[in-house]
Amino acid sequence: MFQSFETEGDRDAGPDRLAALRRAMAAAGIDAFLVPRADAHQGEYVAPRDARLQWLTGFTGSAGFAIVTPDEAAIFVDGRYRVQVRAQVAPCFVPVDWPATSAADWLAARLGDAARVGFDPWLHTRAEIDALSTRLGPAIAVVPVEPNPLDAVWPDQPDPPRGPVRDFPAATAGATRADKIAGIRDVLVKDGHAAAVLSLADSIAWLLNVRGSDIPRNPVVHAFALVEAATGAVHLFADAAKFDGADPGVPILPPGAIVQALSQSSGPVRVDRDSAPWLFGHLLEEAGVEIAWAPDPCILPKARKTAAEIDATREAHLRDGAAMCGFLHWLAGAERRVLDGATVTEIDAVRELEQRRAATGALLDISFDTIAGSGPHAALPHYRVTTDSDRALAAGELFLIDSGGQYPDGTTDITRTVAIGTPGEAEIAAFTRVLKGMIALSRARWPEGLAGRDLDALARAPLWRAGQDYDHGTGHGVGVALSVHEGPQRISRRSEVPLEAGMILSNEPGYYREGAFGIRIENLVAVTPAADLPGADADRRMLAFETLTWAPIDRRLIDIAALSPGEAAWIDAYHAGVVHRMTGRLPAEVAEWLGTACAPLARAS
């Protein structure tokens, strides 16, 4: 099993660890200290060594931060984690609703003139620190602190990860390493930049056609890189021992050598203020090197998948879809056993699904810890089951399972919500609204140039009409055999990045009623040029989505009368597509069940 069910975080240790940190802060002469859930590469997931927020507070969510002063300690989380944080942290940490309350607002209300706010210069970006400093004003200093005072009081802090690296085939990538480097060099020359420093682990993996294992669930390698425009040379700063089984094709220097390399650079050096460590800009400024603040040049080329990457991803999703269909067939049997009085738990379901994926023979890892929530647990969008929290599936409740796999040719992510027994009217009504939103986004056509924020409302509108909503984005970018959460593309209220052909995103509206039930339906989609409509007099290029995920949606939860004819036709066509694509990939008993699960909706005449 890749997934473990151990309880992570230590709520009871929070007070002692907080007291130790405050002593270290006093020794460093700071009045407040920022504790992010971040590493030097600003990835969503962190290695055990960098799990500082979890070690201090007990909180295990994938987003949040803490601020500690001599008298108060606050932990800032968004709507996904408001229930979870209350259960995981000790009372000495006060949960704060973020982003409704910002770090700057919280600090400004508590600190007086001449106060000093400390931060680790490796763990925060220039954009983050500049925004905080501007909001606090000149009377409160925001200062880098090295070494990190939390590390100084963490006696058994793990070592940095040393996971092995493997080559990623150019045939699957659709471009050689040399092709990609040449493309990045062209960008730098066009923009007048002498070099670019890269710190995002997935950018480096993409550029060099390698995959790593430093972070569970994410096949990346912790490294930095410097790309020179004049020669196209790439200098990689990483632990060379990780590359015993792979050839990055470029010189490898120790990770710490990036400090000297930046100090000796000739400018302008391109630095991403939204992702590079604050320290990088500081080093260049100290050395008098001109800085060109600009986005990581790999981000958009990585997001625009090649035809080969899309083909590979399609195959990965078909393989994963067969595993998912097998699991849903098993779940249907588990439901019957539950209704007969047997016990089937969330952990049972997680184990079964991972075994189904492993049986494909191609699973390298899961793409994130499976979210498997029964009843009220489904109302926690990022719930992680443990042996302590494991709950049995129960008649009359909903079961939500959000999961994915990492394969050599693609990364998958799918959510299905299934009824256990007869669902209630409230659950059917909410499920149908979520489904209508997912269908609206699946069927969308839009002019080139629109961003994720322009499409987000399509998925929310059916819920809004009922006075409902959800507190997470509608869709995130997805890599190809890379990070399951990939930027810069998103479908959310805040995303201003135009969607482009080749981008892969999730389509996952939801609805959560605390203490009762949760619903999410998720397919992955790829942006593609829209087909011409018969008789249309189009005067601009349009884009659309191609669905990549193929597994049945629980028809028992659909209020057919609430669907428009077009929505009902989409469901029937989607289910017909599931059956067509799974033909020959499933055992006979699963194929027979699938035909029933994907039967056309029975609409009243």
Side-chain angles (χ1 to χ4, degrees):
M1 287 288 296
F2 289 109
Q3 185 153 338
S4 125
F5 305 103
E6 297 177 1
T7 299
E8 298 176 342
D10 190 346
R11 173 189 175 99
D12 294 337
D16 289 342
R17 292 173 178 177
L18 179 59
L21 175 58
R22 281 175 168 150
R23 290 192 293 270
M25 289 167 53
I30 53 176
D31 302 291
F33 186 64
L34 308 179
V35 182
R37 189 189 187 277
D39 57 24
H41 310 279
Q42 293 297 314
E44 180 182 7
Y45 300 96
V46 297
R49 176 182 181 79
D50 295 305
R52 295 174 178 87
L53 184 65
Q54 177 180 313
W55 179 84
L56 178 66
T57 68
F59 175 65
T60 63
S62 64
F65 60 94
I67 302 179
V68 177
T69 72
D71 304 313
E72 296 183 72
I75 180 164
F76 294 68
V77 296
D78 62 28
R80 295 171 293 173
Y81 298 110
R82 287 171 192 147
V83 176
Q84 177 179 332
V85 73
R86 294 196 299 268
Q88 288 188 323
V89 305
C92 57
F93 296 99
V94 177
V96 175
D97 184 9
W98 174 78
T101 299
S102 70
D105 290 339
W106 191 89
L107 285 165
R110 287 158 176 81
L111 300 181
D113 289 353
R116 289 164 51 85
V117 177
F119 69 95
D120 185 324
W122 287 97
L123 305 182
H124 299 266
T125 67
R126 176 58 67 100
E128 180 185 358
I129 297 303
D130 281 357
L132 180 62
S133 299
T134 299
R135 171 64 182 83
L136 291 177
I140 298 176
V142 182
V143 297
V145 181
E146 286 194 279
N148 188 315
L150 188 149
D151 293 354
V153 300
W154 187 352
D156 55 350
Q157 184 179 23
D159 293 330
R162 299 187 67 189
V165 178
R166 59 186 168 89
D167 293 317
F168 188 69
T172 305
T176 66
R177 177 190 305 120
D179 291 337
K180 293 180 178 181
I181 293 172
I184 299 305
R185 180 190 180 193
D186 288 345
V187 171
L188 298 181
V189 171
K190 174 180 175 293
D191 292 343
H193 301 156
V197 59
L198 307 180
S199 60
L200 293 174
D202 61 337
S203 287
I204 295 169
W206 171 85
L207 179 66
L208 300 181
N209 276 351
V210 296
R211 297 295 187 265
S213 53
D214 279 341
I215 303 293
R217 320 293 177 247
N218 290 265
V220 297
V221 54
H222 274 177
F224 302 110
L226 195 62
V227 183
E228 297 180 357
T231 63
V234 177
H235 305 280
L236 183 65
F237 302 87
D239 182 345
K242 300 176 185 179
F243 291 83
D244 286 348
D247 176 18
V250 298
I252 303 176
L253 301 167
I258 185 67
V259 173
Q260 183 177 6
L262 289 175
S263 299
Q264 297 176 346
S265 297
S266 298
V269 175
R270 184 178 181 130
V271 183
D272 190 334
R273 69 168 58 246
D274 293 311
S275 64
W278 179 93
L279 182 64
F280 285 4
H282 176 70
L283 291 170
L284 292 168
E285 289 167 341
E286 289 271 292
V289 178
E290 181 183 356
I291 301 173
W293 297 109
D296 177 329
C298 298
I299 285 182
L300 277 175
K302 172 169 56 68
R304 302 179 189 116
K305 308 300 184 287
T306 65
E309 287 177 310
I310 295 293
D311 285 344
T313 294
R314 290 191 187 106
E315 179 58 33
H317 278 80
L318 292 175
R319 183 188 311 115
D320 195 72
M324 192 71 190
C325 288
F327 167 76
L328 291 172
H329 171 255
W330 171 88
L331 186 61
E335 178 192 354
R336 291 192 295 271
R337 296 194 299 275
V338 167
L339 298 179
D340 288 338
T343 298
V344 178
T345 73
E346 296 163 339
I347 288 179
D348 293 334
V350 174
R351 284 182 171 143
E352 179 68 25
L353 180 51
E354 185 171 321
Q355 288 167 5
R356 296 272 175 173
R357 286 193 166 105
T360 67
L363 185 69
L364 300 176
D365 198 346
I366 51 179
S367 54
F368 54 95
D369 281 349
T370 297
I371 299 165
S374 170
H377 285 173
L380 307 174
H382 280 209
Y383 169 70
R384 175 184 173 273
V385 60
T386 68
T387 52
D388 293 333
S389 71
D390 191 21
R391 186 178 187 276
L393 281 60
E397 294 185 342
L398 300 185
F399 176 63
L400 184 155
I401 187 154
D402 183 351
S403 67
Q406 290 285 9
Y407 299 100
D409 48 0
T411 302
T412 68
D413 184 0
I414 174 174
T415 308
R416 290 294 183 264
T417 304
V418 178
I420 305 301
T422 303
E425 292 182 3
E427 288 88 337
I428 290 174
F431 183 94
T432 304
R433 293 182 193 112
V434 172
L435 177 62
K436 287 167 72 73
M438 194 270 272
I439 294 172
L441 203 53
S442 301
R443 300 171 68 195
R445 293 170 57 93
W446 68 94
E448 280 189 340
L450 296 191
R453 69 177 183 185
D454 300 311
L455 302 183
D456 182 73
L458 295 176
R460 298 180 190 270
L463 288 163
W464 286 350
R465 284 192 287 270
Q468 299 171 342
D469 202 357
Y470 48 94
D471 292 326
H472 57 73
T474 300
H476 55 82
V478 181
V480 174
L482 262 178
S483 301
V484 73
H485 289 170
E486 175 186 87
Q489 70 274 24
R490 290 187 299 164
I491 302 173
S492 79
R493 296 179 176 112
R494 294 190 294 272
S495 179
E496 299 180 354
V497 176
L499 299 181
E500 300 184 47
M503 290 179 171
I504 298 175
L505 302 105
S506 65
N507 172 4
E508 51 176 315
Y511 176 70
Y512 311 93
R513 184 167 293 177
E514 185 176 340
F517 62 85
I519 296 161
R520 189 161 62 253
I521 311 169
E522 177 187 18
N523 285 343
L524 296 194
V525 294
V527 181
T528 183
D532 292 335
L533 295 176
D537 186 18
D539 61 4
R540 62 192 63 197
R541 292 189 294 185
M542 306 290 286
L543 297 174
F545 287 126
E546 172 194 345
T547 295
L548 299 172
T549 304
W550 300 99
I553 295 166
D554 193 343
R555 292 155 57 252
R556 299 170 299 168
L557 283 164
I558 302 174
D559 178 1
I560 300 173
L563 299 182
S564 70
E567 291 166 340
W570 186 93
I571 285 287
D572 285 347
Y574 176 75
H575 277 152
V578 172
V579 173
H580 172 72
R581 287 167 175 80
M582 292 299 112
T583 297
R585 292 177 176 266
L586 302 174
E589 66 275 13
V590 179
E592 182 179 358
W593 166 86
L594 185 67
T596 301
C598 291
L601 297 175
R603 295 185 292 276
S605 57

